[in-house]
Amino acid sequence: MAYRVQDVFEQITHELGGKPKGLSPVALVNDAGARLVNMHGWTFLSRPPTTLTLTAGQSYVLLPSGFSGHIKLDYTDATQNHVCLTTMAEIQRLRTSTVTSSFTLYCTYSWYVPTGEAPQQRLEIWPTPATTQTGALTLWYRVGWQDVSIELDAIPVPPYCRPLFTEIARSVAMGYHNPEEGTVDARLSRLRGGTTLSDAMAMDRSTQADAGVPGPTYGTYAAFSSIDWSSGAVLGPS
């Protein structure tokens, strides 16, 4: 059975004895959805791996629509070249160094603001590729909340998250409608301490309880430019 915007809104309207103040059905669901995805690294937000192209002369890579979080990044053929995640400060240092090539691709995620749009993330890289390499990288990632547009839209959460989503939407609606009886933040704080959230998280983790036997690892690693070899202490990125 579909779990639609209008279903949640009608339930909350019935409980309130009227429509919540200042919130349309679509606005309420999108507000609640944004709060849901911020509560936990939900596995249902993971997307199938996608390939990224390195473009000649371009020092960054645009990310898939809806990208919200990194899971893993490798060269599609990771047997010879490697990806190294680092900081923007280290990328800047490498870009101003005299070294111009490397078998390692250094990367970091950064934010930029397209004209007239909300901030978006992209992948900053070094070295800048001299030739275009189609599908050179493979990215595993999570998306954020995918906005609904109309009341007949299905709410994009799995069945085990529906009770939690309804509770979040109820907290948002009641917090805006009657803040003197409890703000949205106060209501959500109580929700975070309850079993509805913990049960949904437990079910989310149980989607795949066994990842199998670990195999050889290639590709991504983290960059540290200073290591005290006498003590083994990592001093941190430069």
Side-chain angles (χ1 to χ4, degrees):
M1 180 178 176
Y3 179 60
R4 301 187 186 279
V5 173
Q6 64 181 16
D7 300 328
V8 172
F9 193 74
E10 287 172 2
Q11 179 180 343
I12 292 171
T13 297
H14 176 74
E15 293 175 6
L16 288 174
K19 295 181 179 180
K21 298 174 184 176
L23 280 176
S24 69
V26 167
L28 171 61
V29 166
N30 286 332
D31 189 318
R35 296 172 191 272
L36 171 72
V37 301
N38 290 337
M39 285 184 169
H40 178 63
W42 304 102
T43 60
F44 72 84
L45 297 174
S46 301
R47 293 296 179 264
T50 188
T51 57
L52 304 176
T53 293
L54 300 176
T55 302
Q58 183 170 287
S59 61
Y60 62 87
V61 179
L62 296 179
L63 297 167
S65 175
F67 174 90
S68 178
H70 165 99
I71 297 176
K72 183 180 179 182
L73 179 68
D74 271 345
Y75 266 97
T76 303
D77 178 5
T79 56
Q80 293 185 354
N81 297 322
H82 302 281
V83 170
C84 176
L85 296 178
T86 185
T87 64
M88 193 65 221
E90 181 65 9
I91 293 285
Q92 237 1 80
R93 186 191 71 80
L94 289 167
R95 286 174 177 173
T96 57
S97 71
T98 57
V99 180
T100 58
S101 64
S102 171
F103 286 110
T104 298
L105 183 72
Y106 293 85
C107 306
T108 192
Y109 294 97
S110 70
W111 290 89
Y112 74 106
V113 184
T115 303
E117 297 183 33
Q120 297 178 19
Q121 287 182 277
R122 68 185 184 188
L123 189 69
E124 302 286 343
I125 60 173
W126 182 90
T128 300
T131 60
T132 295
Q133 302 167 50
T134 302
L137 304 176
T138 298
L139 173 70
W140 290 257
Y141 68 104
R142 291 186 182 90
V143 296
W145 176 253
Q146 305 299 293
D147 280 350
V148 297
S149 301
I150 59 174
E151 292 185 34
L152 292 177
D153 279 349
I155 298 174
V157 298
Y160 63 81
C161 261
R162 290 179 183 177
L164 174 61
F165 184 89
T166 301
E167 287 296 322
I168 295 172
R170 182 182 291 113
S171 297
V172 170
M174 291 183 172
Y176 284 143
H177 192 76
N178 293 313
E180 64 280 357
E181 297 180 10
T183 63
V184 175
D185 283 351
R187 294 171 187 272
L188 290 177
S189 291
R190 291 194 294 270
L191 179 61
R192 287 188 179 94
T195 59
T196 304
L197 173 59
S198 60
D199 287 350
M201 290 170 60
M203 183 60 70
D204 190 68
R205 288 192 294 266
S206 71
T207 302
Q208 181 177 337
D210 186 357
V213 178
T217 300
Y218 303 99
T220 308
Y221 60 96
F224 290 91
S225 57
S226 301
I227 298 179
D228 181 352
W229 295 106
S230 62
S231 66
V234 176
L235 304 180
S238 61

